[in-house]
Amino acid sequence: VLQQEVRDKEQVIQRTTELLETANENKHTLEIQLEQKHRQTVKLDTAYKQTSQEVIKGNEIIMKLQSDIKGLKSKLKLRNMVTTQQEKLLHEKDIECSKHISEASSLHDDIKRKDEDIKNISKELKQLQDELLETKEALKTSENVVTWLNKQVNEQMLSRGSLPRQHAIETPSTIQ
């Protein structure tokens, strides 16, 4: 009978040890995934910052070009009042103005594309943050299960009187 109790207790200890090993393996896997998600978040954050800087530069160029266009249009109006020779010059300025408008339009299209990229990156960042939160919650749940299991084993062992208090399995307050 005593040998059967010893075997039963050894089986309980073995199962508890297996559960702890499984929980530790799960924790390790989750930590690896968390680190990967963190690296991915850092990469996305860097890409987001670079894209933001490019958008700011593009906006500055557009503002400068728009300012140039306004100045050119005003000059063109004045040139319309001068002689035929100046009309030729006006025509050249008009062509130049068209180039600037085309460039501004092209830059504006680039900005629209960059804005779309920023939105997509922001969505990805949000998804990664949500996944990170879920991973943290899963880790916390695993920690709580391990703590609960240790507490149950301790209570069961102490209630049976089979294990002196100083040998009770300590429950970790938190697994870091």
Side-chain angles (χ1 to χ4, degrees):
V1 174
L2 213 47
Q3 288 179 345
Q4 182 62 36
E5 282 182 6
V6 168
R7 279 186 286 217
D8 290 345
K9 288 178 185 179
E10 286 175 348
Q11 287 178 353
V12 168
I13 290 173
Q14 183 180 4
R15 277 186 253 140
T16 303
T17 303
E18 289 171 358
L19 286 172
L20 180 60
E21 288 174 0
T22 302
N24 283 336
E25 289 172 5
N26 288 340
K27 177 188 169 209
H28 180 69
T29 301
L30 289 172
E31 287 174 341
I32 290 171
Q33 290 174 353
L34 178 64
E35 179 61 29
Q36 290 171 344
K37 296 295 181 185
H38 177 70
R39 279 188 248 123
Q40 195 174 22
T41 301
V42 168
K43 286 179 184 177
L44 287 173
D45 191 39
T46 302
Y48 174 77
K49 287 177 183 176
Q50 289 174 346
T51 303
S52 294
Q53 289 174 354
E54 290 176 15
V55 168
I56 290 170
K57 288 177 186 178
N59 285 338
E60 289 172 356
I61 291 170
I62 286 174
M63 290 176 66
K64 182 184 179 298
L65 290 174
Q66 287 174 341
S67 175
D68 289 346
I69 289 169
K70 286 180 184 178
L72 289 173
K73 284 184 179 181
S74 142
K75 287 179 185 178
L76 289 173
K77 286 179 184 178
L78 289 174
R79 304 257 184 217
N80 281 334
M81 294 185 264
V82 293
T83 64
T84 307
Q85 189 178 27
Q86 290 177 330
E87 285 180 354
K88 182 180 176 184
L89 182 60
L90 175 64
H91 180 69
E92 292 171 2
K93 291 290 180 180
D94 192 36
I95 291 172
E96 185 178 335
C97 181
S98 294
K99 287 181 185 176
H100 286 295
I101 290 172
S102 174
E103 289 175 5
S105 175
S106 175
L107 287 172
H108 188 64
D109 291 342
D110 287 347
I111 287 173
K112 284 183 181 178
R113 283 192 296 276
K114 295 294 181 183
D115 285 345
E116 193 62 35
D117 289 347
I118 288 170
K119 287 178 187 176
N120 291 337
I121 289 171
S122 295
K123 285 180 186 177
E124 283 185 39
L125 179 60
K126 174 69 173 130
Q127 288 173 343
L128 287 173
Q129 288 171 336
D130 289 346
E131 289 176 16
L132 178 61
L133 183 61
E134 288 174 13
T135 302
K136 286 181 180 179
E137 289 173 0
L139 178 61
K140 182 64 178 172
T141 302
S142 295
E143 291 173 356
N144 289 340
V145 167
V146 169
T147 301
W148 183 82
L149 287 172
N150 285 338
K151 182 179 177 185
Q152 293 300 314
V153 168
N154 282 339
E155 287 176 5
Q156 197 172 32
M157 288 180 160
L158 290 174
S159 69
R160 289 185 183 168
S162 63
L163 184 65
R165 279 209 171 271
Q166 68 263 20
H167 293 306
I169 298 173
E170 293 185 14
T171 58
S173 59
T174 56
I175 299 175
Q176 303 260 340

